[in-house]
Amino acid sequence: MASIANDPRFKLGRALVSGQGASLDDASGGADAAIDVFHSLLEGCIKSDGEGAPSVNTALVQYEYGNALFRRVVRRTPLRDDDDDGDKKPAAKMSDGQREVLAAAALKRSAPEGDSNPTAEKRAKAGDEEDEQVAEAKGDDDDGAADDDPDTVDLSEAKELLEASVVALSHAANKEGANEEQKQWATGQLPTVLTCIGDLLSYSGEYGNAVDVFCQVLPYREEAWNGMKQANSDDWVDRVRCQRLLAETNARIAEALLNCPAGDDVVCFNEEDDDASSEEKKPAAGKVLVPANERVSFAETYYEEARLALEAILTGLARASISYQELGEERKNLQEFATLLTGVGNDLVMAGKK
């Protein structure tokens, strides 16, 4: 467990991201204030780390910081839906309902259980040593990014932060001499951060890359669910949550597959391909994950896994006489998953599959 999770400022940041305490005239729904909080926390974590490898505290703040940036873009999107400038809109294939489900999912993902100055002003102080350290930890390049669309900048920074969090967590999960509990905790956070990266990629229209990331999440979720079944836990909230997370991953893979262009192979582009323009990127330059003629069939397989899991959850609750009210917050998560799954099912019908 990362000690930073008990910091009042960290708790405040997470509450702000969820919309708690945000002013009514705050279009970001609290995300702007949360970003300031996490920016400040990241500065402190970097100082504490010194010359050593990033700590789990740093990894956790990087995740929350990246999630807050992503959340701000999602909340900003409805304000731009009616804009004439098509370049400022997200991927056209994503419906308003899908954005809402994705936004809710970004909020509920959490690793463990302020200053009023805008973050942009803080980043503008190029001479400030602390901000330079934060920029380095985020992987900021600063090559004219300030002139780009705000959504593009936020999504780019969010992705860099989330990827840095994965690196730090992976290091902690495999660190020699670390206690087993700390390793297990770090390992347990990886699918959470990876899922957020996958959602961000889907939101950005990089569906092939999103499929690749969600497939990386799948083994973690399968291992967790298998462990839960072997333990034969009678905690139904944990059981439902664990099975739902696995089912959601399958649903996200199906959704991303269906959003890929019809008639094209599903391709994951490597980092070295990122500098190429969309016109220069060709399927041959990346890794083919699924052939074009098997894309819908693969999507249907993952969808069926998710659908059967939801069916099993509901059947299990009925047999155990567990009411939805007893699930607490997990009840809402389950409803959001059902909404996501319904959307994927509709997409399959549109793709000509039943």
Side-chain angles (χ1 to χ4, degrees), residues 9 19 31 59 66 69 99 133 149 168 177 195 216 220 277 286 297 299 317:
R9 295 169 299 169
L69 284 165
R99 290 193 204 109
Q133 289 176 322
D149 174 74
T195 298
Q216 294 176 44
Y220 291 101
S277 66
S297 177
L317 290 172

Side-chain angles (χ1 to χ4, degrees), residues 242-322:
C242 193
Q243 190 170 13
R244 171 186 57 79
L245 288 172
L246 171 58
E248 276 187 350
T249 303
N250 280 305
R252 279 181 164 79
I253 294 173
E255 181 183 47
L257 284 169
L258 291 170
N259 279 329
C260 290
D264 291 346
D265 292 338
V266 178
V267 178
C268 168
F269 291 96
N270 298 322
E271 287 297 323
E272 54 265 30
D273 298 319
D274 288 348
D275 292 334
S277 66
S278 58
E279 292 79 8
E280 295 171 336
K281 288 183 179 179
K282 297 180 180 180
K287 178 177 67 175
V288 176
L289 302 177
V290 180
N293 62 343
E294 298 180 14
R295 178 182 64 89
V296 177
S297 177
F298 268 71
E300 184 179 29
T301 299
Y302 284 108
Y303 167 77
E304 279 300 307
E305 286 287 334
R307 186 187 66 78
L308 291 173
L310 178 58
E311 195 174 277
I313 290 173
L314 299 179
T315 301
L317 290 172
R319 287 177 178 173
S321 299
I322 304 294

Side-chain angles (χ1 to χ4, degrees), residues 42-51 130 133:
L42 186 56
E43 289 178 345
C45 288
I46 292 171
K47 282 184 177 180
S48 298
D49 291 343
E51 299 298 323
E130 292 180 351
Q133 289 176 322

Side-chain angles (χ1 to χ4, degrees), residues 36 61 70 88 90 111 126 147 153 157 159 196 207-208 249 262 265 287 303 306 315 340:
D36 287 336
V61 174
F70 178 32
K88 292 185 179 181
D147 297 327
V153 174
E157 291 187 1
K159 184 170 179 283
C196 194
Y207 300 116
T249 303
D265 292 338
K287 178 177 67 175
Y303 167 77
T315 301
L340 170 65

Side-chain angles (χ1 to χ4, degrees), residues 121-200:
E121 293 181 10
K122 296 181 179 178
R123 294 180 188 147
K125 299 176 182 177
D128 188 283
E129 182 178 351
E130 292 180 351
D131 279 353
E132 288 179 357
Q133 289 176 322
V134 172
E136 183 178 349
K138 290 161 47 184
D140 284 353
D141 203 345
D142 221 17
D143 290 335
D147 297 327
D148 291 340
D149 174 74
D151 285 357
T152 302
V153 174
D154 277 357
L155 288 173
S156 177
E157 291 187 1
K159 184 170 179 283
E160 289 166 355
L161 281 160
L162 293 167
E163 289 176 340
S165 179
V166 169
V167 172
L169 287 170
S170 297
H171 178 270
N174 297 284
K175 185 178 180 180
E176 293 185 7
N179 65 68
E180 200 60 31
E181 183 179 357
Q182 188 80 339
K183 287 184 177 182
Q184 289 179 359
W185 182 89
T187 301
Q189 309 319 307
L190 283 169
T192 297
V193 185
L194 287 169
T195 298
C196 194
I197 293 174
D199 280 345
L200 186 152

Side-chain angles (χ1 to χ4, degrees), residues 19-35:
Q20 300 175 33
S23 61
L24 295 177
D25 58 348
D26 184 357
S28 74
D32 285 343
I35 288 168

